[in-house]
Amino acid sequence: MVGDEGGGGRSVSFAGCGFLGVYHIGAATCLQERAPHLIRNARQIYGASAGALTGAVLVGGGSLAEACADVLDLAKEARKRNLGPLHPSFNVMKIMRDGLCKNLPENTHQLISGKLLISLTRVSDGKNVLVSNFKSKEEVVQALLCSSFVPIYCGLIPPSFRGVRYVDGGISDNLPQYDSKNTITISPFSGECDICPKGNSANFHEMNVTNTSIQFSLGNMYRLTQALFPPEPKVLGELCEQGYSDALRYLKENGIVQDSVSIDLALTREGQEEHTQIPKCIDRKAVAASQCKKGMQNKEMLIDQLKLAAWPLDGTIFENLPPRLRKALQEACKERCGFYTQLSKFLPMRLMSYMMLPYTLPVESAYFVALRLVDWFPDIPDDVRWMQEQFRQIMGAVYSKARQRLLSISSKESGILLRKCHTAPLDTSIHSSCCPPKMAHSSTHLEEWLWDLPYCEDLVEKDISEGFVSAPSFFMNSGQPGVEANVDSSSENSFQTASED
């Protein structure tokens, strides 16, 4: 992708990646330092999950160095427990909220409205939603928390934005505007993105995970596990440096990088006081020259301090990263030297802590669940109403499915019975000898049919053995006078009597 000089008409999209967001911080730092016009003139900045956090800090006036330090502190907080981020005492949403409220300025909603588009996944229908207009800083924080909420991993009840429940935007669209030719895509997974780690060129296997191109390799599989279960701070620091290097390589390949790099160093309080006490008679050019000279001295002092300090990472990180980010990484990667910290590293102590876990975990779980309930009190009415509505919808869906199933089964059975009634032949073998089937006969054949019945045949045989044959009484003409048919229920045989005139 060959870029224009000013970078106008382009967009930047950051993929969701969990704790690997330090890669985005390194890439964003490179874009901010080496090509500020690309961010300033960009049409839109897209982001999902950790990418949305980086985009908010980049556009919303926050400090990328402090954001990097916060991510590394969050990783260290997750790693110091036996169960890692799954421990009940690890409240990732609360830590993220505190970090956003501290790092983002109060007017961040004015800076990012219409500029930053945050990817969200709506809970009701699973559709992707991009939000870009915000009325306050609290709305920005709520949208970022919704975009970073991983179900079950971060909690059971999803957060809400303007009364609607949302979860991680990476579930529906992890890299917004991926197909657009004017969008610079950034991802910590090797694949087809513009800024990403270089994978094996001989590996042509690739998978698309919610609009994110990921090369099928062992390195990417390992990075996928690191997204939710963070590695050591040193590995995250190397990943941040890799993001910076990959972004710098992209800028050089496309001719976007600027030769003159200006590093913005904040003045100290003493420098600000001296700047306010400068007399008006002094020439402005002399003041600007003195400030530039002082800034260069501060920069050289900072670099000298970083060189003198013990650097736990690779030396290439020190050569590429800007001073602020280097200092933040250095402070975050420092290991604590306390007695308890050193003692807990020994294998017997670690084994003992794992053996005591079945006894200590219930107590810790009860304590931290009680703390979360206290924090949950203001949101209990809304969350309970939402849970009731979800329960009614689930029960309604189950009832409708069961009703349709029963109706379909009953309709099939009725159809089978109806087909049997129309097509199956009459089976006379099932009728009893005493209960002959009801069949239509004419009056001329009625006598022959009755004589063929089994009990009539027995009667005829009996009469023949006795020497006479008598017809049943019901064969006589009922219209003849003086003839009556009497049936004695107590007798085994029927008889007839004739009354004389």
Side-chain angles (χ1 to χ4, degrees), residues 451 454-469:
W451 276 110
Y455 69 88
C456 292
E457 293 177 357
D458 296 340
L459 184 59
V460 170
E461 292 177 358
K462 183 178 181 182
D463 292 339
I464 291 174
S465 64
E466 293 177 359
F468 64 93
V469 177

Side-chain angles (χ1 to χ4, degrees), residues 221-501:
M221 296 300 104
Y222 181 59
R223 293 188 189 100
L224 285 173
T225 59
Q226 291 176 339
L228 297 179
F229 299 92
E232 296 180 356
K234 180 180 179 180
V235 178
L236 293 177
E238 293 174 353
L239 190 64
C240 179
E241 186 271 339
Q242 187 177 8
Y244 190 94
S245 301
D246 293 338
L248 183 60
R249 182 185 64 250
Y250 172 80
L251 295 178
K252 289 181 178 180
E253 290 176 354
N254 294 272
I256 308 176
V257 65
Q258 291 182 352
D259 295 334
S260 59
V261 181
S262 59
I263 301 177
D264 183 17
L265 295 175
L267 295 175
T268 58
R269 291 184 180 180
E270 292 81 7
Q272 292 179 358
E273 292 177 357
E274 292 177 0
H275 177 70
T276 55
Q277 294 177 0
I278 293 177
K280 295 182 180 180
C281 58
I282 301 178
D283 190 6
R284 292 182 179 181
K285 292 183 179 181
V287 174
S290 62
Q291 291 179 357
C292 182
K293 184 178 180 181
K294 193 174 187 62
M296 294 299 294
Q297 291 177 355
N298 292 334
K299 176 184 174 182
E300 292 176 357
M301 290 175 59
L302 181 58
I303 292 176
D304 292 337
Q305 291 176 1
L306 293 174
K307 286 181 178 179
L308 292 175
W311 184 248
L313 303 180
D314 191 5
T316 57
I317 301 179
F318 180 82
E319 297 294 335
N320 292 332
L321 296 182
R324 280 186 175 182
L325 191 57
R326 291 202 298 262
K327 186 176 181 180
L329 283 175
Q330 180 185 2
E331 294 294 332
C333 292
K334 282 183 179 179
E335 295 183 359
R336 297 179 181 178
C337 300
F339 176 75
Y340 177 76
T341 303
Q342 298 297 328
L343 186 64
S344 61
K345 292 181 180 181
F346 291 104
L347 182 61
M349 296 299 298
R350 295 174 62 183
L351 291 177
M352 187 179 297
S353 64
Y354 281 108
M355 292 174 62
M356 293 295 295
L357 189 62
Y359 304 98
T360 59
L361 184 61
V363 179
E364 294 179 352
S365 300
Y367 175 72
F368 289 105
V369 165
L371 292 180
R372 293 196 182 191
L373 284 176
V374 173
D375 296 335
W376 187 42
F377 277 153
D379 301 328
I380 284 180
D382 295 336
D383 293 342
V384 169
R385 282 194 296 267
W386 178 80
M387 288 189 292
Q388 291 176 351
E389 182 65 25
Q390 295 299 312
F391 181 75
R392 282 196 294 266
Q393 291 180 2
I394 293 173
M395 295 304 296
V398 172
Y399 171 75
S400 62
K401 291 290 184 182
R403 185 171 179 272
Q404 291 177 1
R405 182 68 176 171
L406 293 175
L407 290 178
S408 63
I409 293 175
S410 62
S411 62
K412 289 180 181 179
E413 291 179 353
S414 62
I416 293 173
L417 293 176
L418 185 60
R419 286 194 297 271
K420 286 184 177 181
C421 292
H422 283 290
T423 60
L426 184 61
D427 188 7
T428 59
S429 63
I430 61 175
H431 296 282
S432 174
S433 61
C434 297
C435 299
K438 296 182 180 180
M439 298 178 63
H441 295 277
S442 63
S443 59
T444 57
H445 298 285
L446 183 60
E447 183 176 352
E448 297 178 359
W449 175 72
L450 289 174
W451 276 110
D452 293 335
L453 294 177
Y455 69 88
C456 292
E457 293 177 357
D458 296 340
L459 184 59
V460 170
E461 292 177 358
K462 183 178 181 182
D463 292 339
I464 291 174
S465 64
E466 293 177 359
F468 64 93
V469 177
S470 61
S473 61
F474 43 78
F475 287 153
M476 295 182 179
N477 189 2
S478 60
Q480 294 179 358
V483 178
E484 294 181 358
N486 296 328
V487 178
D488 188 4
S489 60
S490 63
S491 175
E492 295 180 357
N493 300 325
S494 299
F495 62 92
Q496 61 181 5
T497 59
S499 62
E500 298 182 355
D501 294 336

Side-chain angles (χ1 to χ4, degrees), residues 13-16 46 48 119 169-170 173-179 184-187 193 209-213:
S13 182
F14 296 94
Y46 299 91
S119 176
D173 191 355
N174 195 48
L175 189 59
Q177 296 295 315
Y178 171 72
D179 297 330
I184 302 174
T185 54
I186 305 174
S187 173
C193 295
V209 181
T210 61
N211 209 22
T212 305
S213 172

Side-chain angles (χ1 to χ4, degrees), residues 13-24:
S13 182
F14 296 94
C17 53
F19 284 99
L20 303 185
V22 291
Y23 182 90
H24 291 328

Side-chain angles (χ1 to χ4, degrees), residues 105-114 132 134-137 140:
E106 294 299 326
N107 64 336
T108 184
H109 59 284
Q110 299 175 356
L111 299 174
I112 71 175
S113 291
S132 60
F134 308 96
K135 299 179 181 178
S136 62
K137 177 183 175 181
V140 176

